[in-house]
Amino acid sequence: VNNKYRNFPMVPKVIFGSGSFDQLPSILAPKRKDKAPFIYLVDDVFKKNEEFLNRLHLRFNDKLLFVSTMEEPKTEQVDTIVKNIKNEFTYQPSGIIGIGGGSVLDLAKAVSLLLTNKGSASDYQGWDLVKNKGVYHVGIPTISGTGAEVSRTAILTGPEKKLGLNSDFTPYDQVVLDPDLTKGVPKDQWFYTGMDCFIHCVESLNGTFLNAFSESYGEKAYDLCKEIFLTENLTDEESRAKLMMASWHGGMSIAYSQVGVAHAMSYGLSYVLGTKHGVGNCIVFDHLEEYYPKDVALFKEMVKLHDITIPQDVCSNLTEDQMEKMIDIALSLVPLWENALGDDWEAIMTRDKLRALYLKM
Ligand code: NAD
Ligand code: ZN
């Protein structure tokens, strides 16, 4: 039998609303197994936030680990956390709870999977390599845009590549969407991560993989982004709630299609220069008028309206080796190019063309 269509797993449980985070203890209680702790992976931006920490309610031998987001998650970091958990606890954890942005959400998914799958996280970078169901995992976003809370991947930088753990076991078992948790996000970061969502929609809606499933989610998220970033009609509270749902829909849209040119090129920047995903996408997208003319124009309007600085000239001092590596990484993401440019993508996106684009950035 040729299985033409993917049978796609979705997050089975989600709670939404301002203050819904306070229901976490009652969500977790029935999932607690005797002597088996819950492990909380929390963005270290909350380390000194007493008000937030008081709402966590750790019990018994539950463990809280703060995660730095100075760098995006790495396979090695996952391996270390998993090893430490295995050393410290006799019992497999009752659950892993990731609280933070895309970085922490991806890290927590990966930790959950590596607790039940042997070897290193780098062994599972790719599509459908994960064999066993992970430990129960809960995702709680504190910044909106990546769609990592809903997606089937956990993006990691490994020794050889930046590539996700894409599998049916990756999506969260439970997601808590509390827009109030995004209150402290700095403005630039709000914009960069928000644009990740906008760009997910643009790349999905303009891709050759588009279908009615992806389109229905993508259009909703796209319209929400326009409302959030181009009008001044919304209260802060409405804007936070809508961006959280835009992120969700954007993630759902790419689940059944793919991203495109901006993401492929942004992965190259990230691998070679360590550029973060959100800002990297903005750096790239700013120069993609040839591929997404209407939406690059909208993007520039949004940048102007919110007075955001997009870094310039990031590629001007690359060594030849770095440039070659960047091009290799970008071109390795075959499904993204197929989606963006169709079957003939290799004739369109040559190494020289990519180099010329990078040199503009
Ligand atoms: P991030 O997680 O690195 O967070 C960005 C910054 O915002 C950090 O400095 C963080 O400390 C801060 N922050 C988060 N919440 C905050 C709050 N409430 N108050 C104040 N500061 C806060 O960035 P991101 O853009 O959310 O995620 C990027 C990561 O997500 C990358 O690693 C990327 O690969 C990944 N990603 C994953 C998917 C997926 O489907 N799995 C999709 C897109 C991106
Ligand atoms: Zn993205």
Side-chain angles (χ1 to χ4, degrees):
V1 189
N2 179 8
N3 286 330
K4 183 174 168 200
Y5 296 104
R6 272 188 24 222
N7 190 9
F8 179 69
M10 304 221 292
V11 172
K13 290 210 142 189
V14 55
I15 179 169
F16 171 82
S18 160
S20 59
F21 179 60
D22 289 323
Q23 283 178 234
L24 184 61
S26 63
I27 291 169
L28 296 182
K31 301 288 179 187
R32 184 182 291 279
K33 293 188 219 122
D34 201 24
K35 296 185 186 151
F38 283 106
I39 314 282
Y40 294 77
L41 301 181
V42 178
D43 189 315
D44 71 1
V45 77
F46 291 103
K47 204 169 187 169
K48 298 217 168 79
N49 187 333
E50 289 299 327
E51 193 247 286
F52 171 83
L53 296 174
N54 286 333
R55 296 168 72 191
L56 273 182
H57 303 293
L58 269 65
R59 308 196 56 198
F60 310 110
N61 56 350
D62 288 352
K63 192 172 179 76
L64 175 56
L65 290 172
F66 288 108
V67 179
S68 160
T69 51
M70 285 280 283
E71 292 183 328
E72 292 185 345
K74 298 194 159 40
T75 55
E76 219 190 305
Q77 187 184 7
V78 174
D79 296 346
T80 305
I81 295 174
V82 169
K83 195 177 90 200
N84 292 343
I85 294 174
K86 286 186 170 168
N87 285 342
E88 181 168 349
F89 300 99
T90 329
Y91 297 89
Q92 194 177 77
S94 294
I96 305 294
I97 296 134
I99 307 180
S103 298
V104 177
L105 293 176
D106 280 358
L107 186 72
K109 291 182 194 176
V111 167
S112 149
L113 293 173
L114 266 295
L115 281 166
T116 56
N117 289 275
K118 289 203 279 289
S120 162
S122 60
D123 301 337
Y124 301 98
Q125 285 181 287
W127 280 270
D128 301 305
L129 303 172
V130 180
K131 303 218 164 40
N132 307 315
K133 188 175 181 313
V135 167
Y136 172 76
H137 48 306
V138 180
I140 310 182
T142 64
I143 179 171
S144 300
T146 65
E149 65 280 12
V150 73
S151 78
R152 186 181 176 273
T153 186
I155 302 170
L156 300 176
T157 303
E160 280 151 39
K161 55 199 170 193
K162 181 178 177 188
L163 187 59
L165 274 50
N166 298 270
S167 86
D168 282 355
F169 305 120
T170 309
Y172 278 109
D173 296 300
Q174 168 79 56
V175 169
V176 177
L177 296 178
D178 183 342
D180 288 356
L181 294 178
T182 67
K183 268 183 188 166
V185 175
K187 185 170 176 189
D188 275 10
Q189 190 63 57
W190 163 78
F191 188 84
Y192 298 145
T193 301
M195 283 304 109
D196 190 22
C197 175
F198 180 68
I199 296 168
H200 289 159
C201 299
V202 170
E203 296 188 316
S204 171
L205 292 171
N206 293 285
T208 60
F209 293 4
L210 189 65
N211 53 72
F213 185 103
S214 285
E215 190 175 28
S216 65
Y217 286 106
E219 280 180 345
K220 186 67 211 177
Y222 182 84
D223 290 345
L224 285 167
C225 285
K226 283 203 294 187
E227 196 184 355
I228 294 158
F229 292 103
L230 283 174
T231 77
E232 284 167 350
N233 303 337
L234 303 175
T235 64
D236 287 354
E237 194 183 345
E238 287 168 334
S239 176
R240 279 194 298 272
K242 285 186 189 235
L243 189 52
M244 195 159 257
M245 289 320 298
S247 175
W248 182 273
H249 282 78
M252 285 300 297
S253 180
I254 44 176
Y256 230 96
S257 62
Q258 245 312 341
V259 284
V261 182
H263 274 77
M265 293 190 68
S266 170
Y267 273 45
L269 283 183
S270 164
Y271 194 88
V272 175
L273 297 175
T275 314
K276 300 277 191 71
H277 188 78
V279 71
N281 283 350
C282 290
I283 292 170
V284 174
F285 198 66
D286 205 23
H287 296 281
L288 294 185
E289 47 272 68
E290 198 179 331
Y291 305 96
Y292 308 110
K294 170 175 68 98
D295 296 309
V296 172
L298 281 182
F299 169 80
K300 288 180 187 288
E301 248 183 82
M302 296 175 187
V303 169
K304 202 162 161 222
L305 183 65
H306 296 286
D307 195 21
I308 302 293
T309 309
I310 307 295
Q312 305 292 326
D313 290 327
V314 297
C315 293
S316 49
N317 292 319
L318 290 183
T319 65
E320 184 54 26
D321 279 357
Q322 285 179 311
M323 177 58 88
E324 287 291 317
K325 185 69 191 171
M326 214 176 252
I327 295 172
D328 288 341
I329 294 276
L331 289 178
S332 72
L333 297 157
V334 174
L336 283 66
W337 295 110
E338 284 175 350
N339 177 48
L341 305 173
D343 290 340
D344 288 339
W345 69 270
E346 279 172 298
I348 305 168
M349 193 50 71
T350 60
R351 296 186 76 86
D352 286 347
K353 179 75 205 179
L354 257 181
R355 175 186 301 261
L357 278 171
Y358 273 132
L359 286 174
K360 287 192 196 175
M361 296 167 186

